[in-house]
Amino acid sequence: LISEALVTLIVALFAGIVMLRGGSDLVLRTLENGQVTPSLRLPMGLVYGAIPFSGAIILYYCALFSFELANGRMPKGSETASIGGPLD
């Protein structure tokens, strides 16, 4: 239980600091710079916008996981996986 909470905290910190904050700075800098993609001529800030967006989604799922841990429930999928592959 403590290891799951620790891993969730580390992932949330990475998503918040690196992806949200750093990604937002990157988006703003490239939009100010006027850099565009070579083929589509779209602003690179739109392409880099996927980084803070992904960070926000990761933070959302970290919050859901943390609430489930705090309520004493393990999230679905914590059962042991069966050995085998899709062709078994």
Side-chain angles (χ1 to χ4, degrees):
L1 183 66
I2 292 176
S3 62
E4 287 92 357
L6 182 63
V7 169
T8 304
L9 177 66
I10 292 170
V11 169
L13 285 173
F14 178 81
I17 295 170
V18 174
M19 295 181 78
L20 264 178
R21 187 163 186 251
S24 297
D25 289 344
L26 177 65
V27 168
L28 291 176
R29 268 191 266 138
T30 54
L31 285 176
E32 289 173 356
N33 225 0
Q35 186 180 2
V36 294
T37 58
S39 59
L40 297 176
R41 297 303 211 197
L42 292 173
M44 284 298 290
L46 294 179
V47 176
Y48 290 145
I51 298 170
F53 179 75
S54 300
I57 291 174
I58 291 171
L59 278 176
Y60 172 75
Y61 279 104
C62 283
L64 285 179
F65 189 80
S66 297
F67 288 136
E68 288 185 8
L69 282 177
N71 290 333
R73 295 186 309 242
M74 285 302 291
K76 296 175 188 171
S78 62
E79 301 89 21
T80 57
S82 62
I83 298 175
L87 301 177
D88 286 343

